[in-house]
Amino acid sequence: GENNILDILIKNGSVFSGNNNEPESNNIGIKNSKIDFIGKESPESKKVIDAKDYIVTPGFIDIHTHSDISFLVDPEADSKLTQGVTFEFLGNCGMSFCAPLNSASKQTLSDRLSKYDSDVNIDWNDFTDWLNKIERNIPSINLAAQLGHGVLRSYVMGMKAVSATPEDIEAMRNIVRSSIDQGVLGFSTGLWYAPGSYSHTEEIVEITKVVAEHDLLYSSHIRSESDDASGLFPAHAEAIEIGRRTGAKIQISHVKSVGPQFWGRGNELLEGMYKAREEGIDVAGDQYPYEWSSTPTSGCMFPRWSLEGGREKTLERLKDKNIRETIKSETINYINRFHGSAGCVLAEFSNDKKLEGLNLSEISEEFSCSPEEAAMRLYEISEGSFVLHSMEEQDVDTIGMSDIIAVASDGNSLRNTGPLSNGKPHPRSYGTNTRFIEDMVVNKKKVSISNAIYRMTSLPASRIGLKNRGEIKKGYFADINIFKPEELKEKATYVDPHQYSTGMKWVLVNGKIALKDGKKIEGRFGKVVRSKEG
């Protein structure tokens, strides 16, 4: 009867389950947001999509994003949806800047929101209320949250460069517990950024034990990605050691080799991860497929010690002539690590938008000073962000070919109109998944299409522990992409990043058609996911 009729039947497609295996010719039936049928027959359906000559895959899962405010500012943040991304994991690098909030972090969040000239009222303090607010707005894709250690530490201890006391650690462990009760699915650290950089391994281990008890993911922007702080290889070893001591699932964020000392050594990072896995440590990673990275000005131009106490304190240090010179000598080292001043492009600078898109060499001419002095003057005006030429193609390719590396953007969901179309952000927010297929699969033939799909679907789903997403399987949510790999095109560039990828034929989110012929369909169908079943 009526009750057995499917909502949608996808016919004649070449179906990749997401499991890294060969495709099968099957029809897929969808009913009430889930996959209800997989087989050769054609059960009765209200709507039929003919996928002949197309491949059918699970929706892509972006395990590393910073979209924590995107869907508050504009729920139609579609830069990921147009690439077939149907699920984002928020709160990475220790920066879950929407929760938990106290007066200091509310101020930081409100500064962040003011750049989007948005009227979001910060009327929440914890994960429950923040996630409810996103849910009421209905996001265009599915979202799940992580608790960030940087936010957690400053909530408990402020921005002081001190070791956590046993009382501090217990307070942090308690917030981790309550955040898990509120539906976070992971814990992230940003050990390169203040205040995460002030913590010892022991502090992270003690907090992560709680995460491991609940079998949630530990993801880390490790302590160093180059020749600074602990150094790249010790930072990788630390992430693995945290897994060894806690039994937690370890996700090394945006695996990369930065700076002349490490270019050409990406394979060594992978070797260390494979060895740890042989030992039984559950470590894997993710990567965005670009040679350029992006981070706030303070994060890439200033030594850690100069950031202690927050922006006001840093500005005071810059006023002292001697301290300024000491900082400047380190800033020169940073600039050299990014292939020189031409490799440092100002991405976001709301105080003077005409500087956006210029590199430090050009800005230094504009300011009539050295590039390192220009970086300081920019920061003295306001915090901004840079896009940096920090990597080499051979490493990006080597890492990008590994089976334990998920494809992830490290970007956020944006839109090419309205408040989210500000600045010149890294094109990864609009192009990551498209670019990986276009570059690594179609052009360079370094990765098979079934492997690329696995690393965008079932691999990230298994890292997060999602039980009903990331595969085409009966009973799973119907997040589905239909496309031809050779038709996908990345349009976003460093100069003109706000351009949607093209070539996705259909995208379904929770069983509803969200994209057709690459164009967005009216309506939003995403969910806020607060449990592994969700």
Side-chain angles (χ1 to χ4, degrees):
E2 178 66 25
N3 290 347
N4 299 331
I5 298 175
L6 295 166
D7 297 328
I8 297 174
L9 184 69
I10 299 168
K11 289 181 66 166
N12 309 324
S14 182
V15 179
F16 287 85
S17 68
N19 272 334
N20 208 4
N21 42 21
E22 288 312 296
E24 293 182 50
S25 304
N26 271 329
N27 298 337
I28 298 168
I30 295 162
K31 189 169 174 58
N32 299 335
S33 82
K34 299 242 173 108
I35 296 170
D36 195 63
F37 167 84
I38 300 176
K40 306 287 180 206
E41 307 82 67
S42 298
E44 198 182 339
S45 176
K46 293 173 193 163
K47 182 177 176 57
V48 173
I49 293 175
D50 186 358
K52 186 171 160 32
D53 301 329
Y54 286 86
I55 68 171
V56 181
T57 77
F60 301 151
I61 293 175
D62 192 342
I63 195 171
H64 188 100
T65 84
H66 293 282
S67 297
D68 300 55
I69 60 177
S70 295
F71 296 92
L72 293 172
V73 172
D74 184 349
E76 309 269 4
D78 292 324
S79 66
K80 302 292 183 68
L81 176 69
T82 46
Q83 302 175 68
V85 172
T86 57
F87 185 107
E88 282 193 312
F89 205 34
L90 314 176
N92 283 283
C93 301
M95 303 175 188
S96 58
F97 35 76
C98 289
L101 295 178
N102 57 18
S103 56
S105 51
K106 272 193 173 159
Q107 190 47 56
T108 313
L109 179 58
S110 133
D111 294 346
R112 209 176 259 274
L113 282 163
S114 69
K115 295 190 171 168
Y116 293 102
D117 94 291
S118 123
D119 52 2
V120 176
N121 176 20
I122 306 174
D123 51 5
W124 72 90
N125 297 306
D126 61 8
F127 282 98
T128 300
D129 291 347
W130 165 55
L131 292 174
N132 285 344
K133 197 177 177 92
I134 292 180
E135 199 162 53
R136 279 197 301 274
N137 235 356
I138 307 177
S140 56
I141 61 175
N142 303 306
L143 308 169
Q146 293 174 94
L147 169 64
H149 169 251
V151 172
L152 172 66
R153 192 181 214 266
S154 61
Y155 184 87
V156 170
M157 299 173 59
M159 291 293 283
K160 297 193 293 292
V162 296
S163 293
T165 64
E167 292 72 27
D168 291 329
I169 290 174
E170 201 38 56
M172 288 191 267
R173 282 164 58 102
N174 283 330
I175 293 170
V176 173
R177 289 184 187 102
S178 66
S179 302
I180 292 171
D181 290 342
Q182 293 173 41
V184 305
L185 296 186
F187 174 65
S188 77
T189 58
L191 301 179
W192 164 249
Y193 300 101
S197 55
Y198 307 140
S199 65
H200 293 304
T201 308
E202 207 52 42
E203 171 186 327
I204 308 299
V205 164
E206 287 308 313
I207 298 169
T208 304
K209 284 176 180 170
V210 178
V211 179
E213 277 164 30
H214 292 80
D215 194 30
L216 298 187
L217 188 63
Y218 169 89
S219 34
S220 184
H221 179 135
I222 57 176
R223 215 172 276 272
S224 170
E225 293 174 328
S226 191
D227 54 340
D228 46 37
S230 67
L232 173 61
F233 288 102
H236 255 254
E238 179 187 34
I240 289 165
E241 185 62 30
I242 289 164
R244 191 179 280 123
R245 299 240 205 120
T246 62
K249 273 197 292 198
I250 305 295
Q251 184 76 3
I252 298 179
S253 297
H254 41 57
V255 177
K256 55 169 104 96
S257 248
V258 174
Q261 306 266 2
F262 297 109
W263 290 331
R265 298 179 69 185
N267 57 319
E268 295 175 47
L269 294 175
L270 293 172
E271 279 161 26
M273 292 167 77
Y274 293 133
K275 283 209 174 83
R277 287 172 69 88
E278 280 164 27
E279 199 191 313
I281 297 164
D282 189 357
V283 62
D286 46 72
Q287 180 209 40
Y288 51 89
Y290 296 83
E291 287 169 55
W292 291 64
S293 53
S294 179
T295 206
T297 305
S298 57
C300 59
M301 293 294 165
F302 296 108
R304 308 297 90 198
W305 59 264
S306 68
L307 302 171
E308 191 204 337
R311 183 175 156 75
E312 295 311 312
K313 288 274 194 298
T314 304
L315 294 175
E316 277 170 38
R317 292 182 187 110
L318 288 171
K319 287 197 179 80
D320 179 313
K321 211 162 85 227
N322 295 337
I323 302 179
R324 191 183 184 92
E325 284 309 310
T326 313
I327 293 175
K328 196 179 290 182
S329 64
E330 297 205 36
T331 302
I332 294 169
N333 294 338
Y334 288 130
I335 292 170
N336 290 336
R337 190 178 294 159
F338 306 129
H339 293 82
S341 57
C344 307
V345 175
L346 192 61
E348 187 272 312
F349 197 68
S350 40
N351 283 58
D352 189 355
K353 286 195 176 296
K354 68 176 187 300
L355 296 176
E356 291 175 343
L358 299 182
N359 66 42
L360 260 187
S361 176
E362 294 162 331
I363 294 168
S364 68
E365 281 171 34
E366 187 96 355
F367 288 5
S368 316
C369 65
S370 67
E372 54 277 11
E373 177 63 31
M376 296 181 153
R377 290 188 192 175
L378 286 169
Y379 185 69
E380 285 171 319
I381 299 166
S382 90
E383 177 73 276
S385 66
F386 275 90
V387 170
L388 306 154
H389 189 190
S390 57
M391 289 161 270
E392 299 263 277
E393 183 178 23
Q394 64 179 68
D395 293 314
V396 175
D397 285 2
T398 300
I399 294 164
M401 287 163 70
S402 165
D403 251 6
I404 59 171
I405 301 288
V407 178
S409 68
D410 190 17
N412 36 2
S413 280
L414 299 172
R415 194 178 178 192
N416 66 3
T417 57
L420 293 176
S421 63
N422 270 352
K424 297 212 181 285
H426 194 299
R428 62 193 177 192
S429 290
Y430 285 87
T432 289
N433 296 75
T434 308
R435 178 193 185 89
F436 190 85
I437 293 172
E438 190 180 352
D439 187 48
M440 292 292 277
V441 177
V442 177
N443 296 341
K444 292 181 183 165
K445 302 192 168 34
K446 287 183 184 283
V447 176
S448 72
I449 185 65
S450 97
N451 186 253
I453 291 161
Y454 161 70
R455 288 166 48 210
M456 295 178 185
T457 59
S458 153
L459 175 63
S462 72
R463 299 308 294 158
I464 301 167
L466 300 172
K467 302 266 194 287
N468 297 315
R469 295 185 193 271
E471 286 179 51
I472 289 186
K473 220 175 181 178
K474 206 172 162 181
Y476 273 47
F477 284 97
D479 296 337
I480 294 176
N481 295 334
I482 304 172
F483 63 100
K484 294 180 183 174
E486 63 280 7
E487 287 182 354
L488 300 185
K489 294 285 173 273
E490 179 187 25
K491 300 293 191 194
T493 62
Y494 294 100
V495 177
D496 189 4
H498 292 286
Q499 300 190 77
Y500 295 127
S501 291
T502 59
M504 265 298 156
K505 184 72 175 168
W506 282 277
V507 178
L508 281 71
V509 177
N510 296 313
K512 302 283 194 296
I513 297 171
L515 199 80
K516 185 185 174 197
D517 295 326
K519 296 276 178 289
K520 183 140 159 57
I521 302 285
E522 194 64 35
R524 298 190 300 279
F525 313 105
K527 288 184 169 178
V528 174
V529 174
R530 293 181 178 81
S531 84
K532 292 178 181 180
E533 278 68 47

